[in-house]
Amino acid sequence: MKLLIRSILREFISITFLVLFLFTAVFIIFATKRIFDVIDLIFNRDVGLLTILKIFGLLLPYVTSLTLPISLLVAGLVVFGRLVLDREWLAFQTSGISPGSVIVPLLILGIILSGGLMYSAEYVVPKCYRQARHLIYNAVNNITVTLKENTFNPIGNNVVLYYRTKTEADGIMHNIIVLYSEEKKLRRLFLAPRGKVSVDPKLGLIRLTLEHGMYHETVPTDSTVYYIGQFTKYEQNIAFTELLAQTEKLQLGPKEMQRVELITEINNRKAKNLPTERLEYELAQRPAKSFGAFIFVLLGIPLGIFWPRFGKSLGMAIELGFALCIPYFYYAIMTLGEDLARGKIIPFWFGAWLPNMTMGIIGLILLFQSCRQK
């Protein structure tokens, strides 16, 4: 009996880690565009690969908190779907092995992982997220130092700067060319005998100032129209990213605050009659979102038992549908709960736990039904 439970646990954990690795990689590639904008900027500033790896490593706890519950769901679908297809689940029941003796250890594992995610959400993620922002801040804060002479330097998603020489004492650049592109086509060209680039880390802006130059501009809707003009002074602010944070001395966002810091900030804001809805919901949501790991285990087990009853090919399609739709449904309820809570229609704790309560009830009903059926 113990050997059977260990075998199922090993298979469940191995599939969880495999899916976690795949989902985390996909999430980083497709869902973190701002991070890659920053990384592209950093690579053009001669920042070492070690710094890049540190930034990604520090962001992994936050990404893992999102992908681990989905990985547990998929593991439950795969493991118990295979048990049913191979008739092992039926063999367990006919030989007198209680379904609970197989399911309970996995539910305990879900509770343990939820506890780990709670601790991570309260202490590890804020600390790592803060350090990652600080690393990116330090890298991008050196933009004016690392802009190379006689080189086309990207300083934004669609902005490229070229200059011939620079006076080190005051940072003034000479013989400047600035190219602005749109939809991979050149739209504006600025020429100036002198100018300067500076960084405002507090606002997350790169400030470009040009003096006594001229510009060339095309019209996107009509390629035959072309403008040429002159300017005495031209200023442009380029936002490098929302991730570029603030240093430790500046105000932290809710994601960078640990639990004690959140509570302190809420009390300070209440004393000054300032809004606290965002902070209060963040405080209530952290343990609720972390408990989602247990909820997804609770859902994955019975759904894994049910889907093979539809046939192997149709069942696999249904399994894939569950794996894709359930997380969206869960986070849709989470968004609804947040809107209702921040609108003061329901308490913050109720809005944060609404998806867990809804999906948990569904999971319990399905679990009891699946354990009854032969």
Side-chain angles (χ1 to χ4, degrees), residues 220-366:
T221 57
D222 189 351
S223 59
T224 62
V225 179
Y226 185 84
Y227 293 103
I228 300 177
Q230 294 182 334
F231 58 86
T232 302
K233 187 175 184 180
Y234 172 80
E235 292 183 340
Q236 174 72 36
N237 292 330
I238 304 167
F240 37 82
T241 183
E242 293 179 5
L243 272 178
L244 288 187
Q246 309 146 352
T247 60
E248 298 288 339
K249 296 180 180 179
L250 299 175
Q251 183 179 4
L252 298 172
K255 290 186 183 299
E256 292 80 45
M257 294 183 187
Q258 295 183 353
R259 187 172 188 84
V260 175
E261 294 171 327
L262 267 174
I263 295 173
T264 302
E265 182 65 19
I266 289 171
N267 293 333
N268 291 338
R269 283 177 168 266
K270 285 183 176 180
K272 298 177 182 178
N273 293 322
L274 297 174
T276 59
E277 290 82 4
R278 184 183 175 191
L279 297 175
E280 290 188 69
Y281 186 78
E282 175 71 20
L283 187 65
Q285 188 188 43
R286 285 182 181 180
K289 187 187 290 186
S290 302
F291 197 72
F294 171 77
I295 298 298
F296 277 60
V297 173
L298 185 64
L299 283 166
I301 293 172
L303 291 175
I305 295 173
F306 276 122
W307 71 258
R309 302 176 190 276
F310 297 96
K312 189 170 183 179
S313 57
L314 178 59
M316 290 188 68
I318 293 174
E319 177 189 16
L320 180 61
F322 283 145
L324 295 175
C325 294
I326 288 178
Y328 283 108
F329 184 52
Y330 180 88
Y331 288 110
I333 299 175
M334 181 183 293
T335 302
L336 175 63
E338 181 177 1
D339 292 339
L340 293 175
R342 294 178 67 172
K344 298 185 178 180
I345 298 175
I346 58 176
F348 289 107
W349 69 266
F350 190 83
W353 285 89
L354 182 61
N356 288 338
M357 291 187 288
T358 304
M359 304 299 282
I361 291 172
I362 295 173
L364 286 173
I365 294 172
L366 292 175

Side-chain angles (χ1 to χ4, degrees), residues 1 4-5 8 80 89 92 97-106:
M1 182 65 184
L4 169 66
I5 295 175
I8 294 175
F80 283 86
W89 186 250
F92 297 158
I97 297 176
S98 170
S101 61
V102 178
I103 294 172
V104 168
L106 296 177

Side-chain angles (χ1 to χ4, degrees), residues 46-101:
D46 296 328
V47 175
L49 180 61
L50 182 60
T51 301
I52 306 296
L53 295 177
K54 282 183 180 179
I55 292 171
F56 276 110
L58 289 168
L59 292 173
L60 275 180
Y62 173 72
V63 176
T64 303
S65 69
L66 301 177
T67 55
L68 179 58
I70 304 175
S71 303
L72 293 169
L73 171 67
V74 175
L77 290 170
V78 173
V79 171
F80 283 86
R82 185 197 63 76
L83 290 175
V84 174
L85 284 174
D86 294 344
R87 306 291 183 181
E88 294 181 31
W89 186 250
L90 180 61
F92 297 158
Q93 293 177 306
T94 55
S95 61
I97 297 176
S98 170
S101 61

Side-chain angles (χ1 to χ4, degrees), residues 167-207:
T167 306
E168 296 298 333
D170 54 11
I172 299 297
M173 300 174 179
H174 303 277
N175 299 323
I176 299 173
I177 301 174
V178 180
L179 308 173
Y180 288 86
S181 61
E182 182 180 327
E183 297 179 355
K184 298 182 179 181
K185 294 182 180 180
L186 181 63
R187 294 301 182 193
R188 286 181 291 170
L189 169 67
F190 285 78
L191 304 172
R194 54 181 282 144
K196 190 174 183 179
V197 175
S198 59
V199 177
D200 187 336
K202 184 175 181 180
L203 298 178
L205 296 176
I206 301 171
R207 299 188 184 278

